[in-house]
Amino acid sequence: MSENTVTIINNATGQQIELPLRNGTEGASVVDISRLYRDLGVLTFDPGFFSTASCHSAITYIDGEKGMLLYRGYPIEQLATHSSYIEVVYLLLYGELPAAEELRRFEAVIGRHTMINEAMRDFLKGFHHDAHPMAMMVGMVGSLSAFYHDSLDIRDPRHREISAHRMIAKMPTIAAACYKHHIGEPIMYPRNHLGYCGNLLRMMYATPCEEYEVNALEEQALNLLFILHADHEQNASASTVRLAGSSQANPFACIASGIASLWGPAHGGANEEVLKMLEEIGDVSNIEKYIAKAKDKDDPFRLMGFGHRVYKNYDPRATIIRDMCYKILEQKADSSNPLFELALRLEEIARKDDYFISKNLYPNVDFYSGIIYRALGIPVNMFTVMFAIARTVGWVAHWMEMMDDPDQRIGRPRQLYDGARLRDYVPLERR
Ligand code: CMC
């Protein structure tokens, strides 16, 4: 028996096999079970992927016990302090921080792709104005494959790169267009002399009849939020993108599937739910009541923005966002913002409560992000759209990594079937 193997014994048959143990550069080792079915005739069962590594990846690493997050090896705290979102985009896509000239060229490339086909504006007009912006995003991003099919040969690395650049560049333009459609204002064209986040703010808030100046702190706050949301390894939406891409679907369709997955309240939709929850709690005097609801097994209510599958410690992104809340609210002369006060108090009370302590439930990235979005004037139903813009690079990086892997195969999970056994069809008149 080798030290680098795990022995599996089927007690029913007495058969036994040794499976290789594989080590990454960081984190838990994995048991390579790919031969298990062939050699032992059994499958593994892990519906929520609690103990399953779905792939190997060199993009992002999380140590959930320590509350550590690395992009390509760099700690999130350092990137949040020193980097720009577009630099982080480059890092996630290409694996290294760009040199000054590489960054300049990359910014220019992204700038060249910010416009969307004019016909997409007509497509957008087909949506009812009160459609949820995430619903429009799923449709609009999916439609990119109808408008940009000149770069859809997924076997061609250059085509893959062009599609990646297009998606990253067009996401703010599409998101702002959805917002303008929702509020009934003219859609604004991008201005490429502005940075990625400044351009987005302008496309959301400017109108053709007035000059608009991007507020430097607001741009900085958005830049920070986008860095923090850029990737988070094999979460539900990244895994959705990988699974969709494994069938060799085009990248725009894959990213649209990622947006759909992100929308759920257990994932990216939580930022919207946190704001709604804080508004519903309304006052510090009601916190205890909501904490009791969250602890009640018979009540479906959960403390939104709390808990995480991987972090069993404070989510490092939440700490950074909480600090930014102070800064941005101070600048807005809103340092006694009642929702922020409520969120802080809610965190304080929950973190002293045995239920949250014993289950390692800490604030996650979504707990404080909405406070900043709200301070930037972004409506609640656009919060998850902001997350989707920032996360696009993560999805794209995972898709590119997968497509580059010569061993890539279609993702095809198996199941534990517990339905009816073989039986004969019963004609209608005998049922
Ligand atoms: N409030 C109250 N109880 C909770 C919460 C919460 N927010 N989160 C987990 N629990 C309890 C849960 O009831 C369970 O208790 P028990 O063991 O007695 O059955 C235990 O903690 C473990 O929870 P789980 O649902 O089995 O854990 P999970 O890893 O499957 O779910 C989660 C993780 C994030 C979906 C969950 O914590 C949750 O629903 N949180 C609220 C939604 C949220 O904030 N989502 C954003 C996640 S971070 C950003 C992102 O992914 O986009």
Side-chain angles (χ1 to χ4, degrees):
M1 197 187 313
S2 147
E3 262 182 25
N4 294 327
T5 59
V6 167
T7 306
I8 309 265
I9 304 170
N10 182 343
N11 288 326
T13 62
Q15 263 180 303
Q16 101 171 36
I17 57 165
E18 274 187 38
L19 296 173
L21 203 56
R22 293 174 59 175
N23 299 311
T25 45
E26 300 267 12
S29 307
V30 302
V31 185
D32 182 345
I33 58 158
S34 48
R35 282 174 34 220
L36 188 65
Y37 182 62
R38 197 192 64 200
D39 292 356
L40 213 54
V42 294
L43 300 168
T44 57
F45 184 66
D46 183 20
F49 294 98
F50 279 86
S51 304
T52 299
S54 61
C55 61
H56 61 89
S57 179
I59 302 170
T60 291
Y61 175 68
I62 304 171
D63 185 327
E65 308 300 323
K66 292 188 189 146
M68 179 166 96
L69 170 62
L70 312 178
Y71 292 165
R72 301 284 189 187
Y74 295 103
I76 192 67
E77 292 81 2
Q78 292 183 21
L79 293 168
T81 309
H82 303 296
S83 199
S84 68
Y85 176 67
I86 208 73
E87 187 177 63
V88 167
V89 168
Y90 185 99
L91 172 69
L92 288 169
L93 280 186
Y94 298 108
E96 296 297 336
L97 285 169
E101 179 54 22
E102 284 170 325
L103 181 61
R104 196 199 57 71
R105 264 191 277 128
F106 185 64
E107 282 169 332
V109 167
I110 295 297
R112 261 204 307 280
H113 287 297
T114 52
M115 279 201 302
I116 53 174
N117 188 303
E118 278 295 295
M120 285 186 78
R121 296 155 73 102
D122 299 328
F123 178 67
L124 182 63
K125 283 185 197 143
F127 287 109
H128 200 258
H129 71 90
D130 63 1
H132 194 288
M134 280 297 278
M136 294 192 255
M137 288 298 287
V138 175
M140 288 289 280
V141 173
S143 82
L144 285 171
S145 47
F147 291 101
Y148 297 95
H149 39 74
D150 59 336
S151 59
L152 288 186
D153 179 359
I154 57 165
R155 305 254 161 253
D156 181 338
R158 182 66 192 130
H159 275 216
R160 298 205 290 265
E161 190 177 36
I162 294 170
S163 291
H165 291 163
R166 279 182 168 153
M167 246 170 314
I168 290 158
K170 292 181 197 308
M171 211 63 167
T173 316
I174 294 171
C178 291
Y179 174 63
K180 289 295 200 187
H181 179 66
H182 185 59
I183 60 170
E185 283 187 4
I187 292 170
M188 301 297 288
Y189 288 106
R191 286 276 173 83
N192 291 338
H193 68 276
L194 295 171
Y196 194 86
C197 296
N199 211 352
L200 171 61
L201 287 169
R202 188 184 164 279
M203 285 189 287
M204 285 183 73
Y205 300 129
T207 60
C209 43
E210 275 174 21
E211 290 305 316
Y212 176 86
E213 211 169 300
V214 178
N215 174 297
L217 187 66
E218 290 182 1
E219 189 177 7
Q220 189 195 336
L222 204 55
N223 183 68
L224 178 83
L225 287 173
F226 278 17
I227 291 174
L228 301 179
H229 284 90
D231 190 44
H232 215 227
E233 51 117 309
Q234 312 309 324
N235 53 79
S237 56
S239 300
T240 303
V241 169
R242 279 185 181 263
L243 198 54
S246 77
S247 74
Q248 294 160 23
N250 76 69
F252 301 117
C254 297
I255 301 304
S257 73
I259 297 174
S261 170
L262 184 77
W263 194 0
H267 192 6
N271 55 14
E272 182 173 338
E273 296 304 316
V274 170
L275 240 277
K276 288 183 191 160
M277 175 188 76
L278 291 174
E279 276 168 350
E280 191 183 311
I281 297 175
D283 188 81
V284 173
S285 62
N286 294 324
I287 290 179
E288 293 293 354
K289 189 174 97 196
Y290 281 86
I291 295 272
K293 271 166 75 65
K295 288 158 56 174
D296 181 355
K297 280 259 160 266
D298 299 323
D299 190 324
F301 175 79
R302 282 189 168 200
L303 214 53
M304 298 312 286
F306 258 75
H308 198 275
R309 172 64 63 78
V310 186
Y311 291 118
K312 299 304 163 201
N313 202 326
Y314 212 99
D315 180 335
R317 303 167 300 173
T319 318
I320 300 169
I321 296 177
R322 194 181 49 187
D323 292 347
M324 188 47 148
C325 280
Y326 286 108
K327 251 178 150 176
I328 193 101
L329 294 177
E330 204 170 287
Q331 199 228 14
K332 297 263 166 200
D334 192 13
S335 45
S336 57
N337 177 291
L339 280 190
F340 186 40
E341 304 273 322
L342 191 61
L344 288 170
R345 192 77 187 106
L346 183 57
E347 177 192 335
E348 194 185 326
I349 294 174
R351 288 188 58 198
K352 285 189 189 138
D353 190 293
D354 279 348
Y355 175 91
F356 292 88
I357 296 170
S358 64
K359 294 183 191 301
N360 294 318
L361 299 171
Y362 292 85
N364 60 48
V365 68
D366 292 317
F367 193 65
Y368 289 108
S369 62
I371 310 272
I372 300 188
Y373 287 138
R374 168 64 68 90
L376 301 184
I378 293 168
V380 177
N381 62 6
M382 283 293 287
F383 288 4
T384 314
V385 173
M386 294 293 130
F387 193 155
I389 302 173
R391 182 56 60 85
T392 296
V393 64
W395 294 327
V396 168
H398 283 279
W399 177 79
M400 302 260 275
E401 183 178 65
M402 184 182 72
M403 298 312 290
D404 256 343
D405 182 351
D407 295 331
Q408 186 266 325
R409 316 265 279 275
I410 188 166
R412 195 350 181 143
R414 302 295 296 271
Q415 63 172 3
L416 174 65
Y417 176 70
D418 53 8
R421 289 179 189 278
L422 175 71
R423 52 185 170 166
D424 286 325
Y425 177 78
V426 181
L428 192 58
E429 62 278 10
R430 282 208 274 121
R431 274 178 251 154

